[in-house]
Amino acid sequence: MNPIFVAIDTTDLIRARDLAATLAPHVGGIKLGLEFFLAHGAAGVAAVRPDGMPLFLDLKLHDIPNTVVGALRAIAPVAPTFVTIHASGGPDMMRRAAGTAAEAGIRLLGVTVLTSMDDDDLRTIGQKGPVGAQVLRLAQRARDAGIAGVICAPHEVAALRLSHGPDLALMVPGIRPAWSVADDQKRITTPADAMTAGANHLVIGRPITAAADPVAAARRILDEL
Ligand code: C5P
């Protein structure tokens, strides 16, 4: 199975549609985020998504249970494969979200600690650190609530795989082939190293989408895997 979800981070509908169409035969799915969804909504997603292509809608839902359930029902017609939800939203919210997602055929991915936050940030907002321990704690809570997997940074993959075994889906951004530039990503790993550590899916954006030849870049990454 092709593990690459290509991150299409743009509000330009035509560019997003062209990229998705061009890359469809060479990636396992597309990832669209809040930026795109807020600009174009469900109709925009339908316009960009190639027929039958797995879709990761990175909406990072975080609200009271009733509202998260309502949001999932509202996007059910879009039929996303994966949707993200903040694991810090609590057990009740995640449990109810998991039930609604199951009815809609959506797989939920928990967001644990945002990779933009460090131990000091956790302390500032009153969360118990260090980051690594909080990631494992929230992943366990997500699991307990019936959430299918988590989105996690490359350096968190091995510990999550070790503590959860093969059933937890791990979606991993921060991926950079050795031949690409880091851009603004600080803690990166290569596609092969992430897969070896236990990732199931790789979120890869600019190394593919900003390449002179995006198809060649995607093919090169697949060859390296
Ligand atoms: O272009 P690049 O490969 O850096 O894109 C990575 C994608 O993964 C972006 O859509 C980014 O928002 C997302 N992401 C991330 N780090 C996280 C969570 C999501 O880079 N911790």
Side-chain angles (χ1 to χ4, degrees):
M1 209 187 66
N2 187 324
I4 302 173
F5 273 74
V6 63
I8 301 184
D9 290 315
T10 175
T11 54
D12 181 337
L13 188 71
I14 304 299
R15 173 164 162 73
R17 193 194 59 199
D18 289 350
L19 266 173
T22 306
L23 288 165
H26 311 284
V27 297
I30 60 171
K31 189 200 92 141
L32 293 169
L34 259 188
E35 183 184 356
F36 183 89
F37 194 74
L38 291 177
H40 301 292
V45 174
V48 164
R49 183 187 199 174
D51 277 349
M53 175 106 293
L55 168 70
F56 170 19
L57 213 43
D58 191 11
L59 300 180
K60 295 192 174 66
L61 303 176
H62 194 173
D63 212 314
I64 60 170
N66 192 55
T67 302
V68 170
V69 163
L72 286 169
R73 289 202 178 121
I75 54 160
V78 175
T81 316
F82 292 105
V83 172
T84 38
I85 177 172
H86 273 279
S88 48
D92 188 31
M93 179 268 245
M94 284 194 286
R95 220 173 5 251
R96 289 189 49 196
T100 304
E103 285 164 22
I106 298 170
R107 301 187 74 199
L108 290 181
L109 297 173
V111 177
T112 58
V113 180
L114 294 170
T115 46
S116 51
M117 296 185 75
D118 60 18
D119 292 347
D120 282 343
D121 293 321
L122 284 191
R123 208 170 304 120
T124 304
I125 62 168
Q127 282 193 17
K128 204 156 97 187
V131 168
Q134 179 67 342
V135 167
L136 290 176
R137 189 178 302 125
L138 287 174
Q140 184 61 54
R141 294 293 95 79
R143 210 60 204 295
D144 296 343
I147 303 286
V150 296
I151 181 160
C152 68
H155 63 278
E156 296 162 354
V157 173
L160 283 163
R161 182 58 72 215
L162 190 67
S163 52
H164 289 278
D167 293 339
L168 185 76
L170 295 177
M171 176 78 77
V172 185
I175 302 295
R176 288 292 180 271
W179 41 266
S180 69
V181 293
D183 302 300
D184 53 356
Q185 296 282 15
K186 295 207 175 90
R187 279 172 291 197
I188 54 178
T189 197
T190 65
D193 284 347
M195 294 303 289
T196 303
N200 300 100
H201 310 283
L202 308 175
V203 177
I204 309 179
R206 288 160 292 180
I208 295 174
T209 58
D213 182 345
V215 168
R219 298 296 329 164
R220 189 169 172 188
I221 292 169
L222 282 176
D223 287 346
E224 288 172 10
L225 293 173

